[in-house]
Amino acid sequence: MRRVLTAAIAALTVTTAGTVVTGTPGQAADRPGRSRQIPVAAPAPGSPGLGDSYFPTYGNGGYDVDHYDVRLRYDPASDRLTGTTTILARATQDLSRFNLDFLLDVESVRVNGWAARFAREGSHELAVTAPRGITRGQALTIVVTYAGVPSETLLDGYTGWTRTADGALAVNEPESAWWWFPANDHPLDKATFDISVSVPAGVEVVSNGVQPRPALAEPGNRVRWSWRTTTPTATYLAFLAIGQYDLVADTAPNGQPVVNAYSTTLGELAPAARASIERTAEIVDWASGVFGPYPFEAQGGLAGPVDGIGFALETQTRPVYGPGFWRRGSNPYVVVHEQAHQWFGNSVSVAQWRDIWLNEGLATYAEWLWSEEQGEGTAQELFDFTYAAYPENSGFWQVLPGDPGADRIFHDAVYDRGAMAVHQLRLAVGDEAFFALLPAWTAAHRHGNATVAQFHASAERISGLDLDDLFTTWLFTAGRPALPTAAARAALAPHQPKSWAKIREAHQVRQR
Ligand code: ARG
Ligand code: ZN
C-alpha cells in the first residue's frame, strides 16, 4: 500500500550500488532519463532497509505488503507467544531473496506454498530465500510460524514488549513489531491487519479497529479474540493489549463504533482515566472539524495497567495511555494529543523518521488549539508560557525539531519547540490560511507519507508567502529564536483570528 513517493524519497531508496530497491511497480522504470537504458534486471536480493536516514535497516526493499494476518496464542503465566503471521504482499522487483524484520524464533517460512530457507541476519533481519524465483509484480503469500518469550527477547538489552502482572502490551515507537509479528517495519509500507489471539478464558485482548466477530471459546478453556483494521496502518501503530480489561462500547457522533478499554488494575486512577478517555468521540468530532474527516473506521482508547508503559501511543483507531497521565486527575489533553495523531502521524505518516515533527509538533499544537477552544488558555498564552519556560541557555534550544537525531526523536524540543513553530506559522500566515492548510494537508496525504519539506511547500502555496526563514529558524537552527516584532508580523499577513464558533459551524455544515 505504499503510495507513490516524491522524487526526494524515491532517491533515498537507491542503494549505494545504484540499484533501485523499493517503490511501487513501475516507479524505477518511470523515472525520466534512466528507464530506457536499464536492461531487465537479474533477480537481486531485496534491500535489508528502506534507507531511512535515522534507521537505515528498518523496513525492507523489494516487496510491498498489503495485509498482515497475525494469528497468535499467548499465555500470560509464561509470556510465551506462538503463532503464524501470513503476509499478503507484492514483489516490486525480481527477487532472489528478501528480508523481514523480526526477532522471535522462526520455525518455518513458506512463500506461495513452497517451504523457504531462512536465516537470521544483522540485529533484527530475517532473510528469506524462496525456492522459486520471484518476478516483479508477483503476488506473494508469506507464511511465518514462530514462538518466543518476547519480554526475554532482548536487543542490546532492550525489549519493546512490556510484560505485566496480568498480561502484556505490544505498544512502542518506532520499534514494536519485532517482538510479535514479522513485518516490513517502516511507515512507508502501510497495510491492513487481522489480529487474533487465543488466551486463557477470562483474559481480554484488545487491538486496532473493530471486532469482526465476538471473542469465541476454544478448547482447553481458552478464548480467541479477533480484531480487524481495514484502513492502511503503519506497522508501529498496530498493537496488542492483553490482560484484565473492562470494555465499553458506544457509537460516535459520526456513527462509527467506539470501544474504550480500561485496565482493572488502575484502582484510584480509574475515574480520571474514564473521565478522559470517555471524551474520545467528542474530541474526535472536534478534531474532525479542524483537521478534516476522521481517517479511520473505528474509535477508542485503552487505559493501560499500572505496571505497564510510561508513555502514551497513538495506536491506530485506539490509542494506549500509560497510567501516569491520570495521576493529577482527568487529562483530556493527552487524549487530544493522541487523537490528533490519527491525522498527523497515522493517516499522514512520516516518510522518514527524521520527519517526526510532522507528528509531534502538530499533535502538541492540537492540545493548544483544544485549550483555546475550551477557554482554558489561548494558543498565544501557551506559546508565551512555553517560550519562557525554557531559558535561552537551556540545552532544549540546541535540539532541532526538524532534524533532532535518531536518539532524540521524542525530545521535548520536537514537541514544545515543535508546537511553538506551528504557532509562529499560524501568526505568519493568519488564521484563514492556517485553518485552510490543516485539512488541505490531511486530505492531500491521506493514508500516505509526507516530509517536512512538503508541509513547508503546502504552507507557502496556501498562504502565498515565502516561509523559508520561518521554517529554517524554528525547525532547523540551534538557539532560541527571537520573536518577530508586531510590526514584522503585520508586514507578513494580517492576523485575522478565526472564531471557534465559526470553525464548529463549518464542520456541522460539512457533516450534514
Ligand atoms: N508518539 C508518542 C506520543 O507522543 C510518543 C511515544 C514515545 N515512545 C516511547 N517509547 N517513549 O504520543
Ligand atoms: Zn505524540
Side-chain angles (χ1 to χ4, degrees), residues 193-406:
F193 282 81
D194 271 291
I195 294 168
S196 92
V197 188
S198 164
V199 289
V203 176
E204 282 79 34
V205 180
V206 183
S207 182
N208 315 84
V210 300
Q211 287 178 275
R213 53 179 198 176
L216 294 180
E218 286 191 341
N221 200 27
R222 299 183 70 86
V223 60
R224 177 172 293 276
W225 292 77
S226 301
W227 295 89
R228 173 170 291 169
T229 317
T230 54
T231 38
T233 305
T235 45
Y236 79 96
L237 296 168
F239 83 101
L240 275 185
I242 303 174
Q244 299 298 313
Y245 290 92
D246 290 334
L247 272 63
V248 182
D250 203 349
T251 302
N254 68 359
Q256 290 183 338
V258 181
V259 174
N260 295 320
Y262 302 93
S263 168
T264 62
T265 67
L266 284 168
E268 62 177 7
L269 299 177
R274 284 180 189 261
S276 310
I277 295 176
E278 290 302 318
R279 295 186 75 181
T280 291
E282 173 200 349
I283 286 167
V284 167
D285 188 51
W286 167 79
S288 307
V290 189
F291 307 142
Y294 180 69
F296 305 120
E297 72 274 34
Q299 303 176 23
L302 181 137
V306 282
D307 57 344
I309 56 175
F311 57 93
L313 188 66
E314 59 269 26
T315 40
Q316 195 145 305
T317 69
R318 192 160 293 116
V320 174
Y321 304 91
F325 292 100
W326 324 124
R327 295 236 155 83
R328 290 187 296 266
S330 70
N331 185 351
Y333 287 95
V334 70
V335 178
V336 169
H337 182 104
E338 305 311 333
Q339 291 302 335
H341 276 309
Q342 305 304 310
W343 286 261
F344 305 111
N346 298 14
S347 173
V348 184
S349 301
V350 294
Q352 294 196 62
W353 283 105
R354 186 174 64 194
D355 297 307
I356 190 70
W357 170 78
L358 290 175
N359 294 12
E360 303 306 345
L362 287 163
T364 304
Y365 196 68
E367 299 178 56
W368 296 12
L369 292 175
W370 170 263
S371 169
E372 182 164 302
E373 199 270 348
Q374 296 283 302
E376 296 186 352
T378 65
Q380 183 64 49
E381 287 168 334
L382 283 156
F383 175 92
D384 293 340
F385 179 86
T386 311
Y387 187 87
Y390 296 102
E392 193 165 1
N393 61 4
S394 163
F396 170 89
W397 296 105
Q398 298 309 309
V399 176
L400 311 181
D403 191 4

Side-chain angles (χ1 to χ4, degrees), residues 76-155:
S78 60
D79 194 44
R80 186 168 169 80
L81 183 73
T82 60
T84 302
T85 288
T86 301
I87 300 172
L88 305 180
R90 198 164 285 279
T92 55
Q93 67 174 74
D94 291 350
L95 279 171
S96 57
R97 41 169 276 177
F98 62 87
N99 281 14
L100 293 163
D101 302 308
F102 196 48
L103 284 179
L104 299 186
D105 288 336
V106 171
E107 273 156 20
S108 69
V109 180
R110 301 185 74 88
V111 179
N112 293 356
W114 299 89
R117 283 190 290 124
F118 57 91
R120 216 15 0 108
E121 284 179 7
S123 70
H124 61 267
E125 302 287 336
L126 178 69
V128 177
T129 307
R132 301 272 162 130
I134 296 169
T135 56
R136 180 162 131 180
Q138 187 178 340
L140 301 175
T141 301
I142 306 157
V143 182
V144 183
T145 63
Y146 50 94
V149 178
S151 64
E152 293 171 8
T153 303
L154 304 182
L155 184 60

Side-chain angles (χ1 to χ4, degrees), residues 2 12-13 15 21-23 45-65 68 92 98-102 121 123-127 174-178 181-190 234-236 351-353:
R2 192 175 309 138
L12 66 85
T13 64
T15 64
V21 293
T22 72
S47 158
L50 285 172
D52 189 287
S53 61
Y54 286 180
F55 305 110
T57 62
Y58 290 18
N60 304 290
Y63 65 97
D64 185 13
V65 177
Y68 293 94
T92 55
F98 62 87
N99 281 14
L100 293 163
D101 302 308
F102 196 48
E121 284 179 7
S123 70
H124 61 267
E125 302 287 336
L126 178 69
E175 311 93 358
S176 162
W178 302 351
F181 65 97
N184 190 9
D185 192 28
H186 192 280
L188 284 173
D189 194 357
K190 301 187 189 188
T235 45
Y236 79 96
Q352 294 196 62
W353 283 105

